[in-house]
Amino acid sequence: MPSRDDLGPLPNVPIVHPGRGIARADASAIAEGAAQIAKATTQFGGALGQVGDTLYKHDLAAKEFDAERKFQEFKWNEQLSLEEQMRSVEPGQAEGFADRWADQYKERARGVLAEIPEPFKGKYDGKLFDTERNLYGASANFARGEQKRSSINTLEDHKNRLALSSDLDRAKVDYDSLLKTNPFLTPIEKDELRRKHLDDLEEA
């Protein structure tokens, strides 16, 4: 049978005294430390979130600034291009000018819109449409004015040829026939031009 010395040292067992409980470690300090660590972690995470949100907003603002710059440059270039095209139109060639310009504009506008970041595509699609509408109005007014001017010159030339005729009544009928088919003059404009040209025919 082994002796007491053979068993080695006894384990550190709490000593129980009669009438007393077992001594336990104080866990309140550990719990408080854990709570402070959790709080600090939450605050750090919140600070990182604020930094991330600020960076995102800054990046978004930079992208919108770049989108506005591209739009303004495109709008300005389109205005200059339209003016140049209007100056280049040959006499009598303005018919369909506005529609041809609009087709070209839409193709170029699609290219610009493709470069706009997704969050702003709707906004700049509307801006590009407004620009098209305004410039189309200018191109249509130019085309109508040029067609009117050219048609009046045509009537003037026709009147001068008819003035060589010896049959005034026949000349008036021929002039009225051409005047009525003119689509570029209002009824009032036609009436004023007819009176002037018929007076010229009678004088001739």
Side-chain angles (χ1 to χ4, degrees):
M1 183 176 214
S3 65
R4 172 68 189 83
D5 293 334
D6 294 332
L7 296 175
L10 291 172
N12 187 14
V13 178
I15 301 173
V16 180
H17 298 283
R20 296 183 183 178
I22 298 175
R24 299 182 181 278
D26 185 3
S28 62
I30 297 174
E32 182 179 353
Q36 290 177 351
I37 292 173
K39 181 179 179 181
T41 302
T42 301
Q43 291 175 342
F44 180 69
L48 284 179
Q50 290 177 352
V51 170
D53 186 55
T54 299
L55 291 175
Y56 172 75
K57 289 180 179 178
H58 177 76
D59 181 63
L60 205 61
K63 288 180 178 178
E64 184 173 15
F65 175 77
D66 188 57
E68 182 66 20
R69 177 189 60 79
K70 288 179 180 178
F71 166 72
Q72 292 291 347
E73 287 180 359
F74 174 77
K75 179 181 177 180
W76 175 251
N77 289 333
E78 286 299 310
Q79 290 172 336
L80 294 179
S81 175
L82 176 59
E83 291 171 3
E84 177 62 28
Q85 290 182 53
M86 289 191 294
R87 287 193 294 268
S88 301
V89 171
E90 295 291 334
Q93 301 300 313
E95 186 174 359
F97 173 82
D99 291 332
R100 290 193 300 272
W101 174 87
D103 290 340
Q104 296 169 3
Y105 174 90
K106 289 174 183 176
E107 183 176 351
R108 292 189 293 268
R110 281 194 293 268
V112 172
L113 190 62
E115 299 178 1
I116 301 296
E118 190 61 39
F120 310 112
K121 282 190 183 294
K123 174 182 178 180
Y124 283 93
D125 188 28
K127 283 192 168 191
L128 289 167
F129 177 75
D130 287 342
T131 301
E132 177 188 357
R133 182 176 58 186
N134 292 334
L135 294 181
Y136 182 83
S139 65
N141 287 336
F142 161 78
R144 284 193 296 269
E146 176 58 25
Q147 289 169 319
K148 174 182 175 180
R149 185 196 66 79
S150 179
S151 69
I152 290 175
N153 287 342
T154 298
L155 288 166
E156 184 79 27
D157 292 341
H158 188 60
K159 180 260 300 181
N160 291 337
R161 285 193 296 271
L162 292 176
L164 301 176
S165 172
S166 59
D167 187 345
L168 179 61
D169 291 335
R170 183 61 188 172
K172 288 180 179 180
V173 171
D174 289 344
Y175 179 84
D176 284 342
S177 177
L178 182 62
L179 180 64
K180 288 177 181 178
T181 60
N182 189 315
F184 308 117
L185 299 176
T186 67
I188 293 177
E189 290 170 338
K190 287 181 179 182
D191 182 65
E192 291 177 350
L193 195 63
R194 182 179 185 277
R195 291 173 183 275
K196 175 181 180 300
H197 282 177
L198 290 185
D199 288 343
D200 293 343
L201 283 174
E202 290 180 355
E203 290 179 5

